[in-house]
Amino acid sequence: MKIISFYKSEKQLIRKSVSGNREAQQRLYDTYAPKMLGVCRRYVKDVQFAEDVMINGFVKVFKNLDRFRNEGSFEGWIRKIMVRESISHLRKQQFVVYDDEMYEETARKNSLAPSELDAEHIQSLIDALPDGYRTVFVLYAIEGYKHQEIAALLGVSESTSKSQLFKARKLLQEQLRQQNIIGYGTE
């Protein structure tokens, strides 16, 4: 039996999804869910909460699908929704800006065991950052937002965004430095 694809293009798949076609919606979800879970996971430490955030994001995607105007990439449009949904989740979880005392306490607590420097290890280092640091770091370094955009998204000043990024980088560098020393036995 030969399988015939009913959707020849992303635009056609989107159009069918807007009209309420459940199969088309499922195909959109199946296509983008793995990447979008990765986006949510960068902001939300717990995988189960990240999945919840992603699902809530997809609810918004499907509710607002008729607003997508085929200007720019569809994946980028979904990604923006997921980022905003992740930030909204963090706000509900008492998103806070950390001061220097919190930085020093976190630096002592978050020394991780040495391991290979792979994506999972880097993610664990990012996860170890306090929420405020992690959110700004991910928005700036991974998602490519500018400090002005981050400030607007998070409801903080640009200088706070810059400060949080500086402290996040410093904390990550310290963790990597400690692990290299421990990993190479030169301590």
Side-chain angles (χ1 to χ4, degrees):
M1 177 192 316
K2 186 175 180 181
I3 298 175
I4 301 170
S5 176
F6 292 107
Y7 312 106
K8 296 183 181 185
S9 72
E10 187 176 76
K11 286 181 184 179
Q12 190 178 20
L13 189 60
I14 293 167
R15 196 169 51 250
K16 289 281 189 183
S17 294
V18 168
S19 68
N21 182 305
R22 296 289 183 210
E23 182 184 336
Q25 291 172 345
Q26 184 66 47
R27 290 219 21 220
L28 277 179
Y29 178 84
D30 291 343
T31 300
Y32 292 103
K35 286 181 184 177
M36 296 307 122
L37 179 58
V39 169
C40 295
R41 178 67 184 80
R42 289 184 195 124
Y43 296 92
V44 181
K45 289 183 195 180
D46 187 289
V47 175
Q48 292 174 337
F49 285 125
E51 287 174 346
D52 289 345
V53 169
M54 180 195 68
I55 289 169
N56 289 337
F58 269 106
V59 168
K60 289 183 179 179
V61 165
F62 289 120
K63 280 185 177 177
N64 296 297
L65 199 54
D66 59 332
R67 294 183 183 177
F68 178 67
R69 301 286 176 225
N70 290 309
E71 297 168 357
S73 82
F74 183 62
E75 183 177 331
W77 184 75
I78 294 175
R79 176 181 291 271
K80 188 176 276 190
I81 291 171
M82 295 299 164
V83 167
R84 289 186 174 155
E85 192 64 25
S86 297
I87 291 169
S88 175
H89 171 79
L90 291 174
R91 279 192 183 126
K92 290 175 191 169
Q93 300 297 318
Q94 304 288 333
F95 177 86
V96 294
V97 176
Y98 294 92
D99 60 14
D100 289 331
E101 288 177 26
M102 180 62 110
Y103 164 76
E104 290 166 9
E105 181 183 320
T106 303
R108 286 190 304 271
K109 276 193 331 192
N110 290 333
S111 295
L112 301 173
S115 64
E116 292 182 335
L117 195 60
D118 58 9
E120 189 174 315
H121 179 71
I122 292 170
Q123 184 63 54
S124 71
L125 291 175
I126 293 170
D127 286 347
L129 293 172
D131 289 344
Y133 294 1
R134 184 180 64 254
T135 302
V136 172
F137 179 81
V138 170
L139 284 168
Y140 185 87
I142 297 173
E143 298 292 337
Y145 283 78
K146 296 184 181 349
H147 286 293
Q148 185 177 10
E149 296 168 313
I150 295 169
L153 274 171
L154 300 180
V156 298
S157 69
E158 262 187 80
S159 61
T160 299
S161 175
K162 290 176 183 179
S163 171
Q164 296 286 284
L165 177 64
F166 173 79
K167 292 173 183 177
R169 284 179 170 167
K170 189 173 178 181
L171 188 56
L172 286 171
Q173 288 170 349
E174 179 63 24
Q175 288 176 352
L176 287 170
R177 187 187 65 74
Q178 287 176 355
Q179 290 178 7
N180 284 337
I181 291 172
I182 294 167
Y184 291 109
T186 59
E187 190 171 306

